[in-house]
Amino acid sequence: MSNSVGIVILAAGKGTRMKTDQPKALAPCAGKPLLDYVVQAALNFAKNSSLKAEIGVVVGHRKELLEQWHTHHSEKSAIKTAWQREQNGTADALKACFKDLPHFWNYDYTLVACADTPLISEKEFQILFNELQSQPDLVGVAATFETAKPTGYGRIQKGKQGFRIIEEKDASEEEKKITEVNSAFYFLKTTHVKAILNQIDNKNKSGEFYLTDLFQQDFAVKAIKFPSEKPFLGINTLEQLANVDKIIRAEKVRQLMLEGVRFLDPSLVYIESDVLIGLGSIIYPGCTFLGKTKIGNNVTIESNCFIKNSQVEDGADILASSYLEEAVVHSEATIGPMARLRPGTVIGAEAKIGNFVEVKKSKLARGVKVSHLSYIGDAEIGENSNIGCGFITCNYDGANKHQTKIGSNSFIGSDCQAVAPIEIGNDAFVAAGTTITKSVPDGAFAIARSQQVTKEGAAKKFIKTKKK
Ligand code: UD1
Ligand code: MG
């Protein structure tokens, strides 16, 4: 019994209609490149179907960017790339795959998928495969759907046995009225591909080699009409990208609600597809969650927070208008309102970062309090130390950044500065208004401020009253 498939994902196109220089396959959609979605569907299919499968991605326009994408992919060993030198059409792209990866001819089946269709899932692949297998004479099946707006899609014209696909540009006014369209997902017997692919010409209005020519009215091919167009929504323009991006994010919010995340207004949240949020968490309106952000259970995130590639552990509170980027907040800590955690920041459990506090590349241990108006950069602060209002680490000398180290259970009074590199020990006390320029040992008291002079009754000399 036949049991192997080469899954070819076409991603070489420039995406001219997107009007951007980036290859279309890498255009971000809900936080991930378009290509990631199709590749994930293919990986899921490979894992869950009975078929032995391998993925080949055809790259072309700005291929160096797609190769970088490949290098960083977590499952890169399951994925190969092939190079289409000139973008002469989808059939030419498939040829490029077989040229660079000739062992793909040995697979019993060839599944062709396009990179610009991110709502596709393994389910559609499985349905196509089942249909192809159900009739032994069939050499190929294509997924189709009905749409009220067929513009841009290839139209399906049925024949006695099979069907053909007429591209928008080549369609007559009458043919353009056909509402069953091609999704550009095909499951084929590789023998059929081998017999036809090299015969496909480019005699059409685009001058391109169309893969759709693998289907003809006198071939044993079948159009499998799916009940919904949604899984096949193709992205050719920025408007279509925005539309599908919105669908993915809305689905994400719906899924999270099913998993026990409370959105006070689900329509007012921007959340990318890889973000994780744990059950019992409450999200106020106006928040943005990007990239690989991971929020634990029972976290409260008040309005207008921006959280990118960060981790917030169970029971933490992120108060209104806080900005977190590549930061880690351990459990039960409180951040904000209006705090900024910059990359490399780790906030310990039960710590408190208050309003107008900026923390950069610093590690604050359990129970540290920095409650108001401070800048902590390139620092380490030990457990339970209290940092008063207006503290500043002077970490930059105009050329280099330097470290500040503060031990555990120390108290730094308000309006102090620490001129780095500097160390303040454990159980130390720094008096308010001090500029620390020399390290302070464990248990020491440090003060650096000018002597106060008080002159009894002298205020009237300084108080000025306006002349009437
Ligand atoms: C294609 C189909 C059309 C279908 C539509 C569904 C063809 C000829 N037409 O049109 O029938 O209704 O998808 O979305 O296939 N690509 C390459 N190399 C190339 C050209 C394209 O790799 O030389 C890749 C693109 O990167 C893209 C995919 O093939 O991922 C489809 O190309 P695109 O230009 O988007 O085709 P459509 O016009 O959408
Ligand atoms: Mg397309």
Side-chain angles (χ1 to χ4, degrees):
M1 202 177 102
S2 304
N3 63 356
S4 64
V5 60
I7 304 174
V8 183
I9 299 175
L10 307 183
K14 181 165 188 251
T16 312
R17 289 162 282 182
M18 298 285 274
K19 308 270 160 64
T20 60
D21 191 37
Q22 193 180 35
K24 177 167 67 169
L26 295 184
C29 185
K32 282 200 297 205
L34 283 176
L35 181 56
D36 276 26
Y37 292 92
V38 185
V39 167
Q40 193 55 52
L43 286 166
N44 292 347
F45 177 70
K47 203 166 102 200
N48 298 326
S49 75
S50 55
L51 294 157
K52 173 177 174 290
E54 188 178 6
I55 297 170
V57 177
V58 182
V59 304
H61 174 69
R62 301 203 65 193
K63 84 173 186 16
E64 69 287 356
L65 297 178
L66 282 129
E67 275 162 0
Q68 256 178 42
W69 167 90
H70 181 230
T71 311
H72 292 114
H73 199 284
S74 57
E75 304 213 38
K76 66 169 179 239
S77 57
I79 304 164
K80 303 277 180 302
T81 59
W83 180 22
Q84 185 192 20
R85 281 157 179 79
E86 278 174 58
Q87 282 63 69
N88 289 327
T90 43
D92 182 62
L94 186 58
K95 270 190 219 167
C97 177
F98 286 113
K99 182 162 177 282
D100 281 6
L101 306 170
H103 67 283
F104 270 50
W105 285 124
N106 303 332
Y107 292 125
D108 305 299
Y109 298 101
T110 299
L111 166 58
V112 181
C114 287
D116 64 352
T117 313
L119 296 176
I120 200 75
S121 73
E122 62 175 301
K123 207 172 96 191
E124 288 74 37
F125 296 161
Q126 191 63 52
I127 291 170
L128 287 179
F129 180 57
N130 293 347
E131 289 284 349
L132 182 57
Q133 273 205 319
S134 68
Q135 294 172 46
D137 294 343
L138 278 180
V139 294
V141 294
T144 69
F145 56 90
E146 286 283 344
T147 175
K149 289 186 200 157
T151 312
Y153 289 110
R155 312 298 204 277
I156 302 294
Q157 195 179 50
K158 300 266 170 64
K160 277 205 189 92
Q161 188 187 11
F163 67 95
R164 70 178 185 124
I165 303 169
I166 311 160
E167 289 305 302
E168 172 88 20
K169 276 191 187 160
D170 304 303
S172 66
E173 284 314 308
E174 213 40 49
E175 287 162 344
K176 279 185 185 157
K177 289 184 190 145
I178 299 174
T179 51
E180 183 177 356
V181 297
N182 173 31
S183 72
F185 284 84
Y186 321 113
F187 227 116
L188 301 137
K189 282 187 180 154
T190 306
T191 47
H192 175 67
V193 179
K194 197 158 198 176
I196 307 299
L197 191 59
N198 281 322
Q199 294 175 21
I200 292 175
D201 63 30
N202 62 351
K203 290 186 190 123
N204 53 56
K205 291 256 169 66
S206 303
E208 287 187 3
F209 296 87
Y210 290 158
L211 194 54
T212 45
D213 287 352
L214 287 175
F215 299 89
Q216 298 299 340
Q217 288 174 326
D218 54 357
F219 287 174
V221 291
K222 192 174 168 191
I224 311 297
K225 202 199 283 186
F226 282 70
S228 163
E229 66 182 295
K230 201 171 148 197
F232 305 108
L233 286 173
I235 290 172
N236 296 317
T237 66
L238 286 175
E239 190 186 0
Q240 288 167 331
L241 178 66
N243 179 31
V244 171
D245 188 296
K246 204 168 173 181
I247 292 173
I248 292 173
R249 286 183 291 103
E251 179 56 32
K252 177 86 192 171
V253 171
R254 204 182 68 82
Q255 189 57 39
L256 286 169
M257 287 194 286
L258 289 175
E259 291 166 13
V261 179
R262 170 111 203 260
F263 292 94
L264 295 191
D265 184 341
S267 70
L268 288 178
V269 64
Y270 187 99
I271 185 159
E272 291 185 341
S273 47
D274 280 351
V275 171
L276 301 172
I277 307 184
L279 98 164
S281 289
I282 301 178
I283 314 298
Y284 284 55
C287 293
T288 300
F289 299 90
L290 304 181
K292 303 274 180 216
T293 291
K294 186 173 176 207
I295 310 287
N297 297 341
N298 303 314
V299 170
T300 298
I301 304 197
E302 290 187 352
S303 294
N304 303 324
C305 288
F306 178 96
I307 306 185
K308 184 176 181 185
N309 292 328
S310 294
Q311 192 185 323
V312 178
E313 287 186 352
D314 296 355
D317 289 334
I318 313 293
L319 306 185
S321 300
S322 294
Y323 189 107
L324 281 63
E325 187 180 4
E326 289 167 39
V328 176
V329 175
H330 287 296
S331 57
E332 309 288 335
T334 302
I335 309 297
M338 290 162 286
R340 180 173 182 203
L341 306 186
R342 290 170 53 197
T345 292
V346 179
I347 305 295
E350 295 166 33
K352 181 170 188 278
I353 302 298
N355 40 219
F356 307 110
V357 173
E358 174 180 347
V359 187
K360 186 217 74 170
K361 215 177 178 182
S362 294
K363 203 164 172 221
L364 279 55
R366 173 183 288 271
V368 168
K369 288 195 177 70
V370 189
S371 297
H372 333 265
L373 295 153
S374 288
Y375 172 62
I376 313 281
D378 304 297
E380 255 181 55
I381 306 180
E383 280 194 12
N384 297 321
S385 282
N386 185 88
I387 312 295
C389 176
F391 173 69
I392 296 169
T393 52
C394 308
N395 61 329
Y396 186 49
D397 61 12
N400 297 302
K401 305 278 168 62
H402 302 283
Q403 293 285 321
T404 297
K405 245 181 151 177
I406 301 175
S408 303
N409 302 306
S410 287
F411 180 93
I412 313 291
S414 293
D415 194 27
C416 289
Q417 301 88 45
V419 181
I422 198 97
E423 278 194 38
I424 298 172
N426 300 321
D427 305 301
F429 191 108
V430 176
T434 293
T435 300
I436 292 287
T437 52
K438 293 185 210 112
S439 288
V440 179
D442 290 354
F445 170 84
I447 183 165
R449 54 165 106 117
S450 48
Q451 287 272 316
Q452 181 172 331
V453 178
T454 306
K455 295 184 178 174
E456 298 259 343
K460 58 181 178 289
K461 266 176 60 183
F462 297 92
I463 296 171
K464 303 210 167 38
T465 46
K466 276 190 190 164
K467 283 184 187 133
K468 291 210 171 121

